[in-house]
Amino acid sequence: MTSQGPSVLVTGASSGIGAAAAELLGQRGFRVFGTSRRPEDLGSDAPDAHWVAMDIRDEDSVLQGVAEVLRASPRLDALVCCAGYGIFGSVEETSISAAKEQFETNYFGTLRTLRAVLPSMRAAAQGRIAIVGSLAGRAPIPFQAHYSASKAAIDALTLGLRNELQPLGVKVSLIEPGDINTPFNDRMDWGDFERSPYGERIQSCERVIRDSLPKAPSPAVVAQAVYRALSASRPRVRYAVGAESMLVPVAKRLLPDWLSLHLIRSHFGI
């Protein structure tokens, strides 16, 4: 990594949206710091970055990782929060421990990273933050209620944080992808629902989810939205991305909840 442009820390940079964002930002002149739980295991196809060992589920790991970045760079100009995963299953059948683990990564992992980075940005009176949420936070996916809830929490966190930082020179944007063709499904905890009381409905939803991602846009489109959020003179609050990027926001604004939920059930065949 040779770029000495503005510095950016990208969590979850080893694959999927995080990798696409790290690669594009490097191409656009950013000095990229990428996080991975095990940088030593990264292959030759990993983005060109200064790799930092960080597990966002662990407070000490996050603090040590951010400290390493701040030792290597005079300041941290931007943060991109991409790390996350999904679980699948009914609310009734998903264990409390699995639901807690979902929030531990998707919500509290993001929160830990923000809390570690914000003091230096606030002191510098400048910075950009792009937090990757999901359109599922506004249009919850059946049998992925916990994933959707974690992204709804990220939505509220981002908007609340933007208000808090408004006069301090730090700008925060929410990136809201719909379906994106990444290894997301490969890491999904699908569970075993052959005997589920939800029967064909849960299986139909799984089929739709599994079939949709290979047909979805590449993570490069999300990376472009991240770049716009970090480089725009007046970054937007939200950047919706993907095939559903117009439909979901419009439906949320114009349709009654009962109709929106009906359309979601129809889409997933349940």
Side-chain angles (χ1 to χ4, degrees):
M1 183 185 67
T2 59
S3 172
Q4 296 299 316
S7 58
V8 59
L9 174 63
V10 182
T11 67
S14 60
S15 65
I17 291 171
E23 183 173 355
L24 178 64
L25 293 173
Q27 293 169 356
R28 297 295 173 88
F30 281 79
R31 185 183 185 196
V32 179
F33 294 85
T35 77
S36 171
R37 280 184 286 174
R38 292 178 295 275
E40 67 276 7
D41 294 340
L42 295 173
S44 58
D45 58 344
D48 184 18
H50 178 125
W51 287 98
V52 178
M54 183 187 294
D55 183 347
I56 64 170
R57 301 169 300 178
D58 182 89
E59 183 88 11
D60 289 340
S61 176
V62 172
L63 292 174
Q64 291 167 12
V66 171
E68 179 180 335
V69 172
L70 293 175
R71 285 194 299 269
S73 178
R75 68 173 184 240
L76 184 59
D77 298 293
L79 169 67
V80 182
C81 295
C82 295
Y85 76 104
I87 59 174
F88 183 81
S90 68
V91 170
E92 177 184 348
E93 296 170 284
T94 301
S95 69
I96 295 296
S97 62
K100 285 183 175 180
E101 288 172 8
Q102 179 78 106
F103 271 77
E104 192 62 46
T105 295
N106 291 8
Y107 181 80
F108 289 106
T110 299
L111 179 59
R112 287 187 191 94
T113 309
L114 289 167
R115 294 181 71 248
V117 164
L118 282 172
S120 64
M121 288 188 175
R122 181 170 42 77
Q126 65 177 32
R128 294 293 179 90
I129 300 173
I131 302 176
V132 177
S134 171
L135 287 173
R138 290 200 268 176
I141 302 170
F143 304 108
Q144 279 196 289
H146 298 301
Y147 171 77
S148 302
S150 73
K151 293 303 185 178
I154 287 293
D155 187 314
L157 175 67
T158 303
L159 272 59
L161 181 62
R162 183 165 174 129
N163 267 343
E164 293 175 12
L165 296 175
Q166 194 277 330
L168 303 180
V170 183
K171 307 299 184 185
V172 188
S173 296
L174 179 66
I175 314 298
E176 295 181 292
D179 285 340
I180 300 295
N181 188 357
T182 71
F184 185 84
N185 277 357
D186 297 339
R187 294 192 295 273
M188 180 88 74
D189 180 2
W190 291 100
D192 182 6
F193 298 102
E194 289 187 4
R195 296 184 177 86
S196 170
Y198 295 88
E200 174 58 26
R201 296 176 70 240
I202 196 169
Q203 294 171 32
S204 173
C205 190
E206 179 179 344
R207 283 194 299 271
V208 171
I209 293 172
R210 287 186 181 274
D211 290 346
S212 64
L213 288 196
K215 305 169 187 174
S218 81
V221 299
V222 187
Q224 290 284 353
V226 168
Y227 175 71
R228 290 197 297 272
L230 300 189
S231 61
S233 58
R234 299 179 65 181
R236 303 206 310 253
V237 176
R238 299 176 185 271
Y239 292 83
V241 185
E244 307 91 344
S245 61
M246 292 296 293
L247 178 61
V248 170
V250 170
K252 188 69 174 177
R253 187 166 62 249
L254 299 180
L255 299 182
D257 286 344
W258 70 266
L259 183 53
S260 294
L261 292 173
H262 171 75
L263 293 174
I264 291 171
R265 290 196 302 274
S266 296
H267 174 76
F268 288 99
I270 65 168

